[in-house]
Amino acid sequence: MDYLKTAVPSNLFTERGSNIVVINPGSANIRIGLAQQDTPFNIPHCISRRTSQLPKRNVQDQMLNSQVTTAQHMERERAYDIMGRVDTYPPQNNMKEPVFTWTDVFEKNVPHSSTTEEDAPKEGETSESPTLKESKIKVDPNSSERKYREYICGEEALRISPTEPYCLRRPIRRGHLNVSQHYPTQQVLEDLHTIWDWILVEKLHIPHRERNMYSAILVIPETFDNREIKEMLSIVLRDLHFGSAVVHQEGLAAVFGNGLSTACIVNMGAQVTSIICVEDGVALPTTQISLRFGGEDISRCLLWTQRHHQTWPPIRTDALSKPVDLLMLNRLKESYCQIKEGEVEAVAMVNSYEDGMPPGSHKTRLTALNVPPMGLFYPTLLVPDVYPPPPRSWFNDYDDMLEDTWHMDFPGGGAYPMWESYPIFQTKPKKEDNIGLAEAITKSILLTGRIDLQRKLFCSMQLIGGAASIYGLIPAVEERVLHAIPSHEAIDTVEVLQSRTNPAFVSWKGGAILGILDISRDAWIHREDWIRNGIHIGSGRKYKDSYYVQAQAMCYLNS
């Protein structure tokens, strides 16, 4: 394998990583931490704001989620039948799933920044606990000082009772800023700023007055476009007051995170799966493919599968409008779903979260647990929610930071109905394919056009992202990719490389490594320059296209 010869001594992380914050924003979760940390905080990328709007929506964009059409339902049934069913395995022993308790939405009568030793994150903890830490603090319910918190971030935001006056917002959805008629641009950017600022203060303990002494590395998914990246850079430099910042692509960072220089990166996030090939530390833009499904779609398919077999208890579970239900389904998926020949079953505790009621527990026999993750190969099983990207006019900007790689084909050549009031797209949006994972990987690698590189990439596939941890996924990918390669291609070997670290954190770790190694910092943008000029034509720091982004990142290694 092409492992990088450059090893990063641990003392370099200590010396240079103490003032570098690595930010890897995703649709469902944000990975963020100091470069010297072994693992980042992994926090749900959402915020609930207090609202007096009537009728109240639990989720800002819940009206945009479409119901499954009859045609989609029939396609899903056909895909299920194609998979076939064979011998049944005895059920797994039931595991104790956490019961999520409702978030306390009232402000505390204690200093906001105080943390007890018991409440402090344990070593290796990377996410918020599913139980309420704030329940240790007792507040007199009759106190006249009780008032609602104006906003609540992270997992707490997902566990707010639907009866409370809050509306959940996800500023990023399906790999794009969640701009819509229901969620204006300014609100999206304000929410991003608030969430990131809250993490910096509450999790990383970096106060506002010290921010200018820190630098930020933005590890950005390939799905983001020029204006989206520019807006996030403005948040980091102008609003969060970092002294300097740099942008790295997620796929490229993943290669560094696993010590490689050439690989096919398959990034399976919560809502998007992205594939891109990297050769000798340079990402190849023509190989980039986005698939509009991910881990959350597998969780929702788990619910559909149980209802299909009539094994789900008679409770009102709604993953779209009740965030706590999606939280529960995600945990069930992580505990029980696997790819394995035969029919996999388990006995589990399923929890119900009814309005104004304490959580209820139901012992349930879950069946066909290998079906939902197989949706990665049969995407009609998943039926993702229909949610178009922002109108193309939103992205038109003379300050292009990345090359224009948009070329999605819209049905009928027009925009989605919800954008009828907007101007017609001036150019085609970014490539998104409605194909399965194996076909997408094969297509991406074959787009390189060179047999030597193709053979190398088919034996250097990297599965990253939260969904990459599904048991049995690696052999399934190897088998199905091998069968997806056209018979006339002279390739007969495929291999998925084992990740050296948690697949969900590989890109974040790679961003930290890039920041530590980047001694010259030629590609870094300083706060004063950004506020005064931004990135403008003629600037030495202008990101003209994605090749240049990688060239900037690699210049210190190739010199």
Side-chain angles (χ1 to χ4, degrees), residues 177-180 183-190 227 231 394:
L177 293 186
N178 195 4
V179 177
S180 74
Y183 200 0
T185 304
Q186 193 56 38
Q187 286 187 11
V188 170
L189 300 179
E190 285 177 6
R227 179 174 175 185
E231 296 288 3
W394 190 83

Side-chain angles (χ1 to χ4, degrees), residues 226-301:
N226 48 6
R227 179 174 175 185
E228 294 175 308
I229 298 173
K230 181 180 176 183
E231 296 288 3
M232 283 189 276
L233 265 174
S234 286
I235 290 172
V236 165
L237 292 170
R238 181 194 64 207
D239 303 329
L240 295 175
H241 296 272
F242 277 96
S244 59
V246 70
V247 176
H248 289 301
Q249 284 181 266
E250 203 169 52
L252 179 70
V255 169
F256 279 82
N258 266 332
L260 301 167
S261 62
T262 299
C264 176
I265 304 299
V266 184
N267 188 352
M268 290 176 281
Q271 299 177 4
V272 177
T273 296
S274 296
I275 302 163
I276 193 165
C277 296
V278 179
E279 180 186 16
D280 294 333
V282 177
L284 309 177
T286 56
T287 65
Q288 202 264 319
I289 294 175
S290 293
L291 306 173
R292 288 172 63 82
F293 53 77
E296 286 187 356
D297 301 294
I298 296 173
S299 299
R300 287 162 48 190
C301 186

Side-chain angles (χ1 to χ4, degrees), residues 44 46 48 98-105 128-135 149 152-164 166 168 170 322-325 327-328 331 353 359:
C46 57
S48 279
V99 178
F100 298 107
T101 47
W102 297 125
T103 295
D104 182 356
V105 296
E128 294 173 272
S129 169
T131 56
L132 273 177
K133 289 177 179 166
E134 68 268 17
S135 62
R149 294 153 72 178
I152 299 171
C153 301
E155 189 181 285
E156 275 193 297
L158 299 174
R159 294 188 283 107
I160 295 177
S161 170
T163 61
E164 300 290 1
Y166 285 85
L168 183 80
R170 297 180 184 271
K322 287 173 63 183
V324 70
D325 282 345
L327 206 55
M328 173 191 66
R331 295 290 168 91
Y353 301 92

Side-chain angles (χ1 to χ4, degrees), residues 209 417 428:
R209 64 180 180 275
K428 299 178 188 174

Side-chain angles (χ1 to χ4, degrees), residues 25 87 89 105 175 181 186 221 247 305 472 486:
D87 298 334
Y89 287 93
V105 296
Q181 291 168 312
Q186 193 56 38
V247 176
T305 305

Side-chain angles (χ1 to χ4, degrees), residues 2-51:
D2 273 342
Y3 291 104
L4 291 174
K5 296 175 182 175
T6 309
V8 184
S10 58
N11 66 311
L12 273 185
F13 278 98
T14 304
E15 292 171 9
R16 299 179 186 166
S18 60
N19 70 334
I20 297 177
V21 176
V22 184
I23 304 171
N24 179 208
S27 299
N29 296 285
I30 178 171
R31 277 78 47 187
I32 186 168
L34 292 170
Q36 66 179 7
Q37 294 176 213
D38 291 330
T39 55
F41 287 96
N42 188 35
I43 297 170
H45 206 177
C46 57
I47 181 172
S48 279
R49 290 191 182 272
R50 193 164 67 88
T51 179

